[in-house]
Amino acid sequence: MTENQAVFALMPLAIASCAFAGIWWSARTSARKVDTKTRYWIVRLHRFRAWMRSHRPSVKPRPVRVALAGMPPKLISGTISTAGRCPALLFYFPVLLHCLRLALRHGGLTLPSVANPNIVCGGFRGESKMSYLDQIPPRLQHWVAPSLRLTVHAAQHEPRQLTQLTQMISRDGLTFPLVAKPDIGSQGFGVRLVRGAGDLQRYLEGFPKNEDVILQRYLDWEGEAGVHYLRRPNDHEGRVFSLGFRCFPHVVGDGCSRLSKLIEEDPRTRRMARRHSRALSAEDLRRVPAKGETVRLSLLGSVRTGGLYYDGSAYITPALAARFDEIARAMPDFHFGRFDIRFRSIEALGRGEDFQIIEVNGASAEAIHIWDPEQSVAETYRVLFEQFRLLYEIGAQNRDRGHRPIGLAGYLALQWRESRLLRRYPESG
C-alpha cells in the first residue's frame, strides 16, 4: 500500500497529533507577546536568514526521463508528491474522519472486513498473501508468478534440511534466483532476492520461526504496475478503478560519473541516497556505469525505498479491464483489491497479455497512482474518499448478504500481530 495505514489504528495517533498541533499553536501565540526588544532581534534574525537564502546559488532540479524497458516514458523533475511530503498521521486524519462518517451512515465500523468475505478481515489486516493466489483457479494460474509457501522451523537452515528444501523447490519447478517474502506483511518489509541456497539459508536464519514465507519466481521484467479492481456484489461485471505504474529506484549511467555521484544528482534517488549507499558496497559506489546503463538500486519499488509511482489511467483498455475482471470474478467473492503485476511491455499489457501477478492486496489496498508527483492534494483526497466510499458500500452489501464483519477487538488483534511481525522480519533488499 504505499501504502495505506490502518484507519482504526490511527485514531489515538491522530488525537495525539491534534494535541501536539494545539501545543505548537499555543507556543506561537505566546511568542507574539514577547517584549519589543526581543521582537526586534527576532525580526532581524528572520531578515538575515532571508538575505542568506537570496544569495545562495539556486540549483534547479534537472528533469529526468524515466524509461524502463516496457514502461511508458515519464519526464519528472520532482521525486515525491505534495501529499507524500505530509506526515502520515496528519495526511490520513481527514481520511479517518471520512471513514467514521461512512461507518455511521452504513451502521458498521469494521465493514471493510467483509469486502472480500473469503479473505481474513477482507484483506484489511493480517491476511495471508498466498491465500489470494491460491483462490485463482488452475485454468488462470498461468497469469500468476509460480510460488511456494513454507513454514520456517528452527532447524530449517541446517545443511540436511536445506538440501531437502532445495529439492522441494526444484520439484515445484522453481529455480534460483527467487524472491523470498513474508506470507503476512505489507510495504515490502522482509522482501529479498535470494540468488542461491546460501542466500536462502541466511534469510531463513533471520526469519521468525513458525511463520510462513513465500518463495516466488523472480521476474526480470522492468514493467511493474498496480491494477486496482472493484465490483459491487450485485454487479455482473467489475471495473479497473485505477492503474498506477511503479518504478524501482534506479539511475542511468553517463559513462563518466561514479555511481555515488549519479545517486546524489538524480532527483528521484537523492532523498534516499543514504539508504542506497548503505545497501551498496564501496566498490559498487566507485564504479562508473556505462552510458545508458540502468543500475537498479533496490529490488522493491515501494515509496518506502524511494520508488516512483505515476498515473497510468490513459493506458486502461477494454482488453486489460476484461482480463482482470475475468481473474477477479473467478476468485470466490473477491470484490475489492489491487493486483500487483510485472509485465513485458505496455503494448502487451494493453492487450491483456504478457503479465504475471506477483501479489494481490485486499481491502487495505490503495490506488497507487495517487502518489504521482504531478497529482494535486485535492485529487489525491478525492480518489481516497471515493475509494473508501465504495469499500464501505461493498462491505454493507456483503453484510446484508449474511456475512458478519469482524469485531473491533479481533481487528486490533490482527493489527497488533502484523505490526509485531513487521519488526521481526529480515531487512528487505
Side-chain angles (χ1 to χ4, degrees):
M1 251 250 322
T2 340
E3 348 300 64
N4 183 30
Q5 301 291 329
V7 173
F8 308 114
L10 284 174
M11 292 176 68
L13 297 175
I15 294 170
S17 66
C18 289
F20 174 78
I23 294 171
W24 174 80
W25 180 256
S26 175
R28 286 203 59 178
T29 305
S30 299
R32 296 192 188 103
K33 297 178 181 179
V34 296
D35 58 40
T36 306
K37 188 175 181 179
T38 305
R39 190 183 301 115
Y40 168 81
W41 286 110
I42 291 175
V43 171
R44 296 283 295 199
L45 177 60
H46 281 302
R47 287 179 180 175
F48 176 75
R49 291 175 62 189
W51 180 86
M52 290 290 289
R53 282 196 297 267
S54 66
H55 285 74
R56 186 182 301 162
S58 60
V59 179
K60 270 193 167 183
R62 177 171 54 89
V64 174
R65 184 178 178 83
V66 179
L68 297 180
M71 293 273 278
K74 177 77 171 178
L75 189 67
I76 66 159
S77 57
T79 61
I80 187 169
S81 64
T82 304
R85 296 178 190 277
C86 181
L89 296 179
L90 294 179
F91 174 76
Y92 281 103
F93 186 65
V95 180
L96 171 64
L97 295 179
H98 179 64
C99 290
L100 292 176
R101 185 176 67 86
L102 291 170
L104 290 173
R105 175 190 294 179
H106 295 287
L109 190 62
T110 59
L111 284 175
S113 66
V114 287
N116 303 306
N118 282 283
I119 300 292
V120 171
C121 201
F124 204 84
R125 271 299 176 271
E127 81 278 18
S128 159
K129 298 293 184 184
M130 197 68 183
S131 63
Y132 294 102
L133 304 183
D134 287 341
Q135 290 186 19
I136 298 175
R139 64 184 176 84
L140 296 173
Q141 277 290 323
H142 60 282
W143 299 117
V144 180
S147 306
L148 166 68
R149 176 172 55 184
L150 58 95
T151 303
V152 177
H153 300 297
Q156 198 131 40
H157 57 275
E158 294 180 357
R160 182 181 174 184
Q161 298 289 335
L162 193 63
T163 300
Q164 294 176 357
L165 177 57
T166 53
Q167 290 174 352
M168 182 173 64
I169 290 171
S170 180
R171 284 198 303 270
D172 277 59
L174 297 173
T175 57
F176 291 104
L178 295 169
V179 175
K181 55 185 174 182
D183 189 38
I184 297 176
S186 65
Q187 300 179 45
F189 282 96
V191 180
R192 187 185 295 178
L193 183 67
V194 291
R195 300 185 180 276
D199 279 354
L200 179 58
Q201 180 179 12
R202 287 186 290 273
Y203 180 83
L204 295 178
E205 286 175 355
F207 201 86
K209 302 304 177 278
N210 301 317
E211 297 293 341
D212 290 345
V213 65
I214 297 174
L215 300 178
Q216 187 175 81
R217 176 179 294 169
Y218 172 64
L219 302 169
D220 59 1
W221 296 339
E222 294 184 350
E224 188 169 339
V227 182
H228 203 287
Y229 172 89
L230 62 89
R231 177 175 64 88
R232 291 183 174 88
N234 299 325
D235 292 348
H236 178 65
E237 293 183 353
R239 65 186 176 97
V240 174
F241 177 74
S242 162
L243 175 63
F245 295 116
R246 179 189 284 124
C247 296
F248 53 77
H250 68 281
V251 292
V252 179
D254 59 8
C256 59
S257 300
R258 291 184 176 185
L259 180 57
S260 58
K261 184 179 179 182
L262 293 172
I263 293 173
E264 288 289 348
E265 291 184 347
D266 192 296
R268 290 167 298 142
T269 59
R270 184 187 303 122
R271 69 187 183 93
M272 290 284 185
R274 185 176 299 178
R275 176 189 177 92
H276 297 318
S277 297
R278 284 201 310 267
L280 297 167
S281 66
E283 184 180 353
D284 286 334
L285 291 171
R286 288 193 299 267
R287 187 174 73 87
V288 178
K291 186 173 183 179
E293 178 188 352
T294 298
V295 182
R296 186 168 188 159
L297 302 175
S298 173
L299 172 68
L300 303 174
S302 67
V303 172
R304 186 176 65 85
T305 60
L308 169 71
Y309 296 176
Y310 61 99
D311 186 14
S313 57
Y315 296 90
I316 300 175
T317 64
L320 183 149
R323 177 70 69 201
F324 283 95
D325 186 45
E326 175 191 18
I327 296 170
R329 284 191 292 110
M331 299 168 67
D333 267 335
F334 183 79
H335 300 285
F336 186 102
R338 190 185 71 234
F339 296 90
D340 290 339
I341 64 170
R342 289 272 175 87
F343 59 91
R344 189 184 299 276
S345 70
I346 188 60
E347 294 79 16
L349 182 62
R351 299 191 299 269
E353 301 171 354
D354 283 346
F355 69 87
Q356 294 267 272
I357 299 168
I358 57 176
E359 191 169 294
V360 184
N361 296 277
S364 66
E366 285 180 340
I368 65 172
H369 81 272
I370 63 174
W371 304 111
D372 187 320
E374 297 179 354
Q375 188 90 280
S376 69
V377 176
E379 177 62 13
T380 298
Y381 276 121
R382 187 197 68 78
V383 174
L384 277 174
F385 282 16
E386 175 71 2
Q387 174 182 318
F388 276 98
R389 182 185 68 80
L390 294 167
L391 177 61
Y392 268 86
E393 285 183 5
I394 290 171
Q397 290 179 18
N398 279 331
R399 178 196 56 193
D400 295 342
R401 294 169 62 214
H403 298 289
R404 185 177 179 180
I406 192 172
L408 185 58
Y411 167 80
L412 292 175
L414 290 172
Q415 166 68 27
W416 178 84
R417 181 171 186 264
E418 182 174 315
S419 300
R420 181 170 169 267
L421 285 173
L422 293 184
R423 294 192 297 269
R424 297 171 60 201
Y425 290 144
E427 187 176 354
S428 54

